[in-house]
Amino acid sequence: MSKLDLTRRGVIKSGAVAGAGLALPTIFTASSAAAYVNEPTGSTVTLGFNVPQTGPYADEGADELRAYMLAVEHLNGEGDGGMLNTFSSKALKGNGILGKKVEYVTGDTQTKPDAARASARSMIEKDGAVMITGGSSSGVAVAVQALCQEAGIIFMAGLTHSNDTTGKDKKANGFRHFFNSYMSGAALAPILADRYGKDRKAYHLTADYNWGYTTEEAVRTSTEAMGWETVAAVKTPLAQTDFSSYVAPVLNSGADVLVLNHYGGNMVNSLTSAVQFGLRAAQANGKNFEIVVPLYSRLMAKGAGKNVAGIFGSTNWHWSLENVAGARYAGTNAFVKSFGEKYGFPPSQAAHTTYCQTLLYADACERAGTFNPCGVGQALEGFEFDGLGNGPTLYRAEDHQCFKDVLVVKGNENPTSDFDLLEIVDVTPAAAVTYDASIFGGELGSCNPGA
Amino acid sequence: MDQIILQILNGLDKGSAYALIALGLTLIFGTLGVVNFAHGALFMLGAFCAVTLNRILSLSHTVIDETKKDFLGNPLKVEVPYVQGWFGESTGQAIIDWSVPLAILFTIPVMIAIGVIMERGLIKHFYKRPHADQILVTFGLAIVLQEIVKYYFGANQIPMNAPQAFFGSFDFGAMIGMEPGAIIYPYWRIIYFCFAAVLVGGVLAFLQFTTFGMVVRAGMADRETVGLLGINIDRRFTIMFGIAAAVAGLAGVMYTPINPPNYHMGMDFLVISFVVVVVGGMGSLPGAILAGLLLGILESFASMRQIIELLPGINQVVIYLAAIVILLTRPRGLMGRKGVMED
């Protein structure tokens, strides 16, 4: 009869060896098959372009989609390469991303947060999209960014201007190339003070939603710091179409500047009303009455027609930037040529930012050597680059916001075409629009790979 | 005082747009008994008649201007309208400049035709169906129409200008003996109000003083008896649908210089116009006009900074609050008749 020699030390040793043996395959499985959500396993990788294809911003969404398709062409080595030729990072080789051909699916945000989340979810769950990008509204961007954080997907924001996107609502998986309300205020204020003087009284009409509030606050803070006084700030309903009852009292309010914190249809209608009511030609406090539109978009300017003439605003990028301001903005002409030859007209700022975001994501994957959102996020954080049309740019690690020069523009008095409605007045250096990442609150949290 | 007069003026011109759309809605409801949710789309189609005429008048040939460059650095292609070639530059430009008033002539036959086709082709099949069915089918039609317009004209707003002679504003205050600059008001908004007054007066006079109008009024009061007298009341009601469509369309045409049109503009007016009809009293033409002006003025006053500071958010709900109060005190609306929509 054999003797079973059990000792305490022997049991612990045997248990540890057996436990490690059993656990080993599980660790391998976890790291290889479910490292992150929608890990591409074949020869292709799918990106999800979530843009407004219906609703009031459908034209802007269509321009974003054109830019995305152009970016995919260039990533796959087709076409003339566009800004791949001028981009300071040379990680992208025109052979897709990490050797995988880029494919894409599209969703329709309808400029509604619920619809945008539903379409993003569908692209993630059904189509296996490894990255979601797009949008023409801050409400949509914040909603989709939160979804992507939960799902473990990288979100590369499109046109979203509210401070909150990379402020109080920022997420580790979300990144924004577009500028924000704070930057608009900081860029505009010195130019306004220079052109209109420091003794001005401003009347704000503000769209009654998140973006309107942050824009009003940014412009007020910046202009008041320059010596302007804010006479009144009136919130206008987002659904308002006729602004006459809001505009009519402005002339007799003691103000000599009207700031329209409106975007899209609101901007077109309020500006049209202001011009109809003679504010452009009026005098107040012994000065010419002036109108300011903090955020300009060429597509919106087209809707307002000749009413934009002479009115100041800010913009993230303009197709004439390299010709007007020089080689610092290299990439602009390459992109305009690619886009213009393919589609027959110059790209909008919405198209530019979405094209850049696609290239920046692809480049980060190449540099990180993975599609894992945590690796991609790490590659984007603190990334300094150039050659994408805005001059030297930093993707700040603390809030995932890009910092670059901001354009101050003015409605063209004598446009030669529908694309020539805005002219660049000045370019404010990035240093002048940079702020402390903590001022808008919020926490990035930690990156979520989703698995 | 100047602020009060200013807001009354504002309310009148805003209310005149509500009244015009509500008038058409009431005509259709009063004659055919149909609750037409596509009426806002007719307003939008009228606006796009003006856009279409402007584009027709602006049809151009291309001239290469070697002295200027386009965005790609190629010689600039300049579009020169044919009308400038035919009538000379200044006359041609003046014709394009007056495209909105000219569109009135273009819009009347187009909108009457659209109204008649809509009524004969779709809506007549729903006369005996419940109001809920009528609302569903006309709302669906409105969505189809706006998507068609969006397909051809895009989602962005399209700038349309008043003729240069009526561009800008004038000193209304000085005209009525107030201090100069106290009330500055745009020319076109005054024109819009006057146009609405003429149009409303014309429709009411047509119904009141013509034989056709008399028959229609008789049909509105008692359709069966008029039919028993051997009068084809259906044909007259179809024509009234066409006229109501034309009224909505003309309201849309003249509205284009006030707000650049887009495919969604009809929906923006639809809900408020129904509130106007209900407040005015279902089926009452004078009620629709009165309620339109009244609610327009109320909305204007509620948008004043001093009022918003006192009652935040009042500008967004004032029309609906007024509707609740009026319907609680006068359940049939301001000038509603007994028996209408009470079965």
Side-chain angles (χ1 to χ4, degrees), chain B residues 309-320:
Chain B
E309 280 168 3
L310 197 66
L311 299 164
I314 188 70
N315 51 337
Q316 310 207 28
V317 297
V318 67
I319 284 185
Y320 306 102

Side-chain angles (χ1 to χ4, degrees), chain A residues 237-262:
Chain A
L238 190 55
Q240 191 74 29
T241 52
D242 184 354
F243 287 84
S244 58
S245 40
Y246 295 94
V247 167
V250 173
L251 204 49
N252 294 321
S253 66
D256 44 42
V257 178
L258 172 63
V259 182
L260 295 172
N261 300 305
H262 289 148

Side-chain angles (χ1 to χ4, degrees), chain A residues 53-56 58-59 203 208 232 234-235 237 240-242 244-246 248-249 251-252 265 268-269 272-273 276-278 299 302-303 305-307 319 336-337 340-341 344-346 416, chain B residues 2-3 6-7 10 13-14 68 71-72 76 150 154-159 161 164 167-169 181-186 189 255 257-260 263 268-269 299-300 303 305 308 315-316:
Chain A
Q53 298 182 45
T54 56
D59 284 0
Y203 192 112
D208 196 1
V234 178
K235 293 191 172 42
Q240 191 74 29
T241 52
D242 184 354
S244 58
S245 40
Y246 295 94
L251 204 49
N252 294 321
V268 172
N269 292 335
T272 303
S273 282
Q276 280 171 4
F277 273 82
L299 295 172
K302 191 175 165 187
K306 63 183 180 183
N307 293 329
W319 61 267
V336 172
K337 180 171 177 291
E341 285 178 349
F345 47 84
T416 53
Chain B
D2 52 344
Q3 290 299 308
L6 193 58
Q7 294 303 348
N10 251 327
D13 91 58
K14 199 178 289 209
K68 291 180 181 162
F71 70 98
L72 287 173
L76 185 68
K150 192 173 84 174
N156 270 352
Q157 288 169 289
I158 299 168
N161 294 315
Q164 200 59 38
F167 196 78
S169 49
I183 302 174
I184 304 289
Y185 211 74
R189 285 177 181 265
Y255 197 74
I258 291 176
N259 270 346
Y263 73 99
D268 298 335
F269 272 90
E299 194 186 4
S300 279
S303 307
R305 180 165 54 94
I308 296 173
N315 51 337
Q316 310 207 28

Side-chain angles (χ1 to χ4, degrees), chain B residues 211-233:
Chain B
T211 310
F212 183 94
M214 186 184 69
V215 173
V216 168
R217 280 188 293 120
M220 286 168 79
D222 191 339
R223 185 183 184 134
E224 268 185 37
T225 307
V226 174
L228 288 173
L229 292 172
I231 295 169
N232 186 351
I233 193 70

Side-chain angles (χ1 to χ4, degrees), chain A residues 8 15 22 57 80 87 95 118 140 166 209 232 239 242 266 273 283 303 312 378 381 395 420 422 431 444:
Chain A
R8 185 177 61 86
L22 285 169
Y57 295 159
D80 64 6
F87 191 17
N95 62 344
V140 163
T166 48
Y209 72 113
D242 184 354
N266 276 180
S273 282
Q283 291 263 316
F312 280 94
Q378 218 168 18
E381 285 178 347
Y395 236 131
D420 191 28
L422 301 177
L444 272 180

